[in-house]
Amino acid sequence: MSENPLPTPGTTSPPVSPPAGVSASPPADGFAEAARLDAADPLAALRRAFVLDDDTVYLDGNSLGALPAAVPGRLAEVIGREWGELRIRSWTESGWWTAPQRIGDRIARLIGAAPGQVVVGDSTSVNVFKALVGAVRLTATADGPRGGVRDQILVDSGTFPTDGYIAGSAARMTGCTLVPVPAADLPSVAGPRTAAVLVNHVDYRTGELHNLPAVTAAAHAAGAPVVADLCHSAGALPVNLDALRVDFAVGCTYKYLNGGPGSPAYLYIRAEHQDRFDSPLPGWNGHRAPFEMTADYRPAPGAVRGRVGTPDILSMLALEAALEVWDGVDLAEVRAKSLALTDYFLARVAALAPEASAVPVTPAEHARRGSQVSLRCTDAAAVMAELIRRGVVGDFREPDVLRFGFTPLYTSFTDTERAARTLATVLRERPR
């Protein structure tokens, strides 16, 4: 459950600012306004880089991104040539062995990190475990035996469930206590007993953008490292890990990075921590000399020590092809379009839908909003099912939250207008 109470149906939602150059109540022909905005969109051409169909408005990229058009051909090459013909030679000749670092550097640019700090592999859950246990071990190394002093792991209480499960296991493993705290309160709660802080950059349910700079600064003032979960922010907004001095970060690649179902996650290890990062999963791929096959584990230098087992090459190279669409993309333009799309959607739903039929739970303030809009309504599951039947694909979260993810690389204002109109129609037609 999110730490911020969700508004109940019938309450007044915060005022919504329209996109730049758009009135709060666009003309009756909203499609003309949407077309004008699409014509002025500097990212509009990128839509052609994805496999989309005209019959569907796809607003579930915050769960699974659309297929980049370059991926099928690249996978065919990997399977037919690199695996089918070169076979084991591809570990060296095709660069398979270094793919986790190479692709990690591609992702690094998208999360504000210098090269050499991101490694790709495993799932987000596995990487949360590695990062969080490693973070706690850093404080033990820095402060000596905790002796009951640094014995708490703080986690935002609205965290994605798996993060909470993993954090609980990490706490038991390291002799700590897990302390769930509302994300807004993490800066004030961090203190001398804090061994590490785990925070989601964007709340998966409400779309709220948490104050990562404030959390990081407060944790560091208390002498504790921060682990940031970027699953719902990387590829949707600038993150600036290096500038914020975040210690560790993890994230999936199948949402806004469009890497495909189950594509490998990534782990960011800040450069200054790499020599002291003690992974709880010391696999052979993270060994200094993996092919010596020694009985003792000697960690590799740099972020490579975050690797564990043999990388999942097919999905990893599909991800690499998917990331090519980001070449030359300005993240400031991505953020500006994200906010404009979500502003537009909120304004149009407010104008078109029956009063109080869909109450925003996503903050109106830009500084507190990710790239999704969550609306609370009764019969949310049935409403979403009907939206999908009519060609508008989002999702919902129990018990009553509709979620709509806006992916700036391929979501258009025309998509957004159609989605708002269809939602309004469904809400008007449902039984009372």
Side-chain angles (χ1 to χ4, degrees):
M1 179 65 70
S2 171
E3 62 272 26
N4 298 317
L6 300 179
T8 56
T11 59
T12 301
S13 57
V16 175
S17 300
V22 182
S23 65
S25 299
D29 184 6
F31 282 113
E33 175 72 352
R36 184 184 74 79
L37 290 169
D38 284 334
D41 174 16
L43 301 177
L46 290 171
R47 182 179 173 92
R48 295 194 295 271
F50 293 88
V51 178
L52 300 165
D53 58 89
D54 294 335
D55 295 332
T56 302
V57 174
Y58 189 67
L59 298 180
D60 208 8
N62 54 327
S63 287
L64 177 64
L67 171 66
V71 170
R74 174 61 179 134
L75 271 182
E77 178 185 18
V78 171
I79 293 171
R81 168 68 175 161
E82 296 180 11
W83 181 13
E85 297 178 13
L86 295 179
R87 292 177 285 276
I88 201 166
R89 292 162 53 194
S90 280
W91 285 106
T92 54
E93 295 181 25
S94 301
W96 288 2
W97 186 259
T98 56
Q101 299 94 273
R102 183 177 70 246
I103 303 170
D105 284 345
R106 273 190 173 270
I107 293 173
R109 185 184 76 83
L110 303 179
I111 56 178
Q117 298 178 101
V118 178
V119 65
V120 173
D122 306 310
S123 67
T124 305
S125 300
V126 171
N127 284 324
V128 168
F129 180 72
K130 288 187 283 187
L132 194 53
V133 173
V136 174
R137 289 175 174 176
L138 273 183
T139 60
T141 300
D143 299 343
R146 286 192 300 276
V149 178
R150 294 200 178 272
D151 60 354
Q152 294 181 344
I153 296 176
L154 305 186
V155 61
D156 64 278
S157 52
T159 191
F160 188 75
T162 291
D163 285 22
Y165 307 153
I166 295 292
S169 177
R172 294 190 299 272
M173 180 177 178
T174 57
C176 291
T177 300
L178 185 65
V179 181
V181 178
D185 295 339
L186 284 170
S188 62
V189 174
R193 295 183 63 182
T194 305
V197 178
L198 172 62
V199 63
N200 281 248
H201 196 197
V202 173
D203 187 297
Y204 78 99
R205 190 163 181 259
T206 68
E208 179 174 2
L209 175 63
H210 293 146
N211 193 338
L212 184 58
V215 172
T216 303
H220 288 177
V226 168
V227 179
D229 185 327
L230 309 179
C231 284
H232 287 268
S233 55
L237 52 93
V239 180
N240 302 320
L241 291 180
D242 283 356
L244 296 179
R245 301 190 63 78
V246 172
D247 303 283
F248 302 93
V250 302
C252 64
T253 61
Y254 48 79
K255 301 183 190 296
Y256 296 107
L257 298 183
N258 310 297
S263 56
Y266 57 89
L267 170 66
Y268 164 88
I269 308 172
R270 187 170 182 81
E272 66 191 70
H273 298 318
Q274 290 174 2
D275 288 344
R276 295 189 298 125
F277 176 64
D278 182 8
S279 175
L281 297 173
W284 78 290
N285 265 232
H287 196 285
R288 180 178 295 271
F291 292 99
E292 289 183 2
M293 304 296 177
T294 60
D296 62 312
Y297 180 74
R298 292 178 289 122
V304 176
R305 66 178 57 193
R307 292 177 60 164
V308 183
T310 304
D312 39 356
I313 288 298
L314 296 183
S315 56
M316 188 165 292
L317 297 185
L319 168 62
E320 184 173 34
L323 291 171
E324 291 176 0
V325 74
W326 289 96
D327 291 348
V329 172
D330 185 342
L331 286 173
E333 291 182 345
V334 171
R335 178 59 169 163
K337 183 178 177 183
S338 164
L339 292 172
L341 287 168
T342 50
D343 274 346
Y344 188 90
F345 183 70
L346 285 164
R348 293 302 279 155
V349 170
L352 298 171
E355 185 177 1
S357 59
V359 179
V361 298
T362 303
E365 303 94 319
H366 286 180
R368 296 178 55 220
R369 188 193 307 165
S371 199
Q372 74 180 52
V373 171
S374 295
L375 304 172
R376 189 177 189 189
C377 76
T378 56
D379 302 320
V383 169
M384 183 54 68
E386 182 60 20
L387 284 172
I388 293 172
R389 191 184 74 80
R390 298 186 188 200
V392 176
V393 178
D395 66 13
F396 90 103
R397 288 293 178 265
E398 296 285 0
D400 53 7
V401 175
L402 303 172
R403 297 196 319 164
F404 301 92
F406 293 82
T407 304
L409 297 193
Y410 57 76
T411 303
S412 68
F413 288 93
T414 299
D415 286 338
T416 306
E417 175 71 21
R418 179 180 162 192
R421 284 173 175 255
T422 305
L423 174 61
T425 299
V426 171
L427 292 173
R428 283 195 303 269
E429 293 178 352
R430 66 180 175 169
R432 295 289 179 179

